[in-house]
C-alpha cells in the first residue's frame, strides 16, 4: 500500500500542518533557511546569493538539504532541455527567497534588489505596490528609504573605497565618458548664448591582485611641453 501513497501529503503533527514533498519538511527547512539568510545577509551584511549552485550548497549547510531539489523536481520534467533546467534552477532561487519573504519581512534582500531595478526602469509607485502584493518586491516606502540611504552614503563609500585601494596599492582603472550636447533650437546671439548640456560618467574598477604602477618624477617625459 505504501507504493500507492501520493508523493505529496498534508498531515497534522502537534497541531501544526506540515507539507511533506519527496521527504522534505518544507515548513521546517524554510524556517531554518530564513533564520540563516537573515544572519548572513542582514546581520553580517554579506552579498545576496543568486548563483543556484552556491545557493543550494548554502541551503544544505544550514539544515535545509532537500528543499532546493524538492522544489526543482516539482517544476522539472524529463522532456525539458538542459537550458530549461538551468533556467528553472534560477527560478527556484527566486521562489525560495519569496517563500522566506512570506515568513519574514526582514528577509527581503531579493525584493529590495528587484524594487531598485523596477525603480530604475521607471515603474510608478502603484506598480511597485502591485509587485509587493505579489511578493516580488518590498514596499515602496522601503524602496525609497534604500534609495535615500544609497544617495547619502555614496560619497563616503567612494572615499572609503579609494582610501582602501591606495593603502593596499591596488591598480585602479578609470573609464571616463564625457558627453556634451551643443545643439539647440536657436542660434546664440550676443546677449543669449546657446544652452549646452553636458555630463560626465566615470566607471572605476579595482584590480586587487595587481599592484599599482609606481611612477617616478624622473621617468616622466616632458618633451610635449616644448612643442
Amino acid at each position: 500500500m505504501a507504493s500507492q501513497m501520493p508523493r505529496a501529503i498534508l498531515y497534522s503533527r502537534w497541531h501544526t500542518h506540515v507539507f511533506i514533498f519527496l521527504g522534505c519538511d518544507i515548513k521546517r527547512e524554510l524556517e531554518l533557511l530564513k533564520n540563516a539568510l537573515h544572519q548572513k545577509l542582514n546581520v553580517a551584511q554579506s552579498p545576496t546569493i543568486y548563483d543556484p549552485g552556491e545557493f543550494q550548497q548554502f541551503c544544505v549547510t544550514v539544515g535545509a538539504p532537500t528543499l532546493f531539489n524538492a522544489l526543482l523536481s516539482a517544476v522539472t520534467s524529463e522532456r525539458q532541455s538542459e537550458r530549461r533546467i538551468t533556467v528553472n534552477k534560477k527560478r527556484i532561487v527566486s521562489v525560495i527567497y519569496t517563500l522566506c519573504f512570506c515568513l519574514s519581512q526582514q528577509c527581503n534582500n531579493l525584493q529590495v534588489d528587484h524594487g531598485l531595478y523596477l525603480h530604475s526602469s521607471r515603474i510608478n509607485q502603484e506598480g511597485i505596490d502591485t509587485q509587493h502584493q505579489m511578493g516580488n518586491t518590498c514596499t515602496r516606502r522601503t524602496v525609497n528609504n534604500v534609495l535615500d540611504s544609497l544617495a547619502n552614503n555614496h560619497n563616503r563609500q567612494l572615499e572609503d573605497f579609494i582610501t582602501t585601494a591606495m593603502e593596499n596599492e591596488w591598480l585602479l582603472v578609470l573609464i571616463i565618458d564625457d558627453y556634451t550636447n551643443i545643439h539647440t533650437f536657436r542660434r546664440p546671439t550676443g546677449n543669449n548664448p546657446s544652452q549646452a548640456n553636458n555630463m560626465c560618467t566615470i566607471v572605476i574598477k579595482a584590480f586587487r591582485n595587481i599592484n599599482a604602477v609606481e611612477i617616478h618624477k624622473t621617468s616622466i617625459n616632458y618633451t610635449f611641453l616644448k612643442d
Side-chain angles (χ1 to χ4, degrees):
M1 297 298 294
S3 60
Q4 299 178 0
M5 293 180 62
R7 302 178 69 186
I9 61 175
L10 183 67
Y11 73 102
S12 178
R13 182 177 62 184
W14 301 305
H15 306 289
T16 302
H17 292 289
V18 183
F19 187 74
I20 302 297
F21 185 85
L22 298 177
C24 173
D25 189 339
I26 293 184
K27 176 66 176 179
R28 174 181 173 276
E29 293 196 9
L30 269 180
E31 187 69 28
L32 292 173
L33 180 60
K34 181 259 297 182
N35 295 333
L37 286 174
H38 174 67
Q39 291 296 324
K40 181 178 180 63
L41 305 183
N42 298 336
V43 178
Q45 295 294 310
S46 299
T48 306
I49 305 173
Y50 288 121
D51 179 74
E54 184 180 355
F55 186 83
Q56 183 180 9
Q57 183 60 36
F58 179 77
C59 293
V60 173
T61 57
V62 300
T66 59
L67 178 62
F68 189 94
N69 285 333
L71 295 177
L72 179 62
S73 63
V75 297
T76 304
S77 67
E78 298 178 353
R79 298 182 293 103
Q80 294 177 343
S81 63
E82 289 295 330
R83 181 179 179 182
R84 177 65 180 276
I85 295 176
T86 300
V87 173
N88 281 347
K89 290 181 179 179
K90 297 179 181 179
R91 290 172 176 171
I92 291 302
V93 174
S94 175
V95 168
I96 294 178
Y97 270 119
T98 303
L99 292 175
C100 291
F101 177 63
C102 293
L103 279 176
S104 173
Q105 300 293 307
Q106 293 181 341
C107 293
N108 61 353
N109 304 87
L110 179 142
Q111 283 70 26
V112 169
D113 289 345
H114 189 51
L116 295 176
Y117 170 76
L118 292 178
H119 182 272
S120 66
S121 301
R122 304 300 182 183
I123 190 173
N124 57 25
Q125 299 291 311
E126 182 179 355
I128 292 182
D129 283 341
T130 301
Q131 290 292 309
H132 172 62
Q133 295 297 325
M134 298 173 64
N136 297 329
T137 68
C138 51
T139 63
R140 61 180 178 180
R141 182 177 64 180
T142 301
V143 173
N144 293 332
N145 290 339
V146 172
L147 289 172
D148 291 340
S149 177
L150 291 174
N152 295 332
N153 296 329
H154 175 72
N155 291 337
R156 179 184 57 81
Q157 292 176 350
L158 181 60
E159 291 178 358
D160 293 343
F161 172 76
I162 297 296
T163 301
T164 303
M166 295 178 63
E167 292 176 350
N168 293 276
E169 298 183 352
W170 295 338
L171 178 65
L172 295 179
V173 176
L174 277 70
I175 302 177
I176 303 176
D177 183 13
D178 187 11
Y179 168 80
T180 302
N181 181 16
I182 62 174
H183 301 287
T184 61
F185 291 104
R186 58 181 177 81
R187 294 182 178 180
T189 63
N191 297 326
N192 298 316
S194 61
Q195 296 180 353
N197 299 322
N198 59 80
M199 63 173 291
C200 181
T201 302
I202 301 178
V203 178
I204 182 171
K205 179 176 178 61
F207 293 87
R208 293 174 171 82
N209 58 338
I210 302 178
N211 292 331
V213 179
E214 184 178 359
I215 300 179
H216 299 281
K217 292 183 179 180
T218 56
S219 64
I220 300 178
N221 188 354
Y222 294 98
T223 55
F224 68 93
L225 296 176
K226 300 178 182 180
D227 297 337

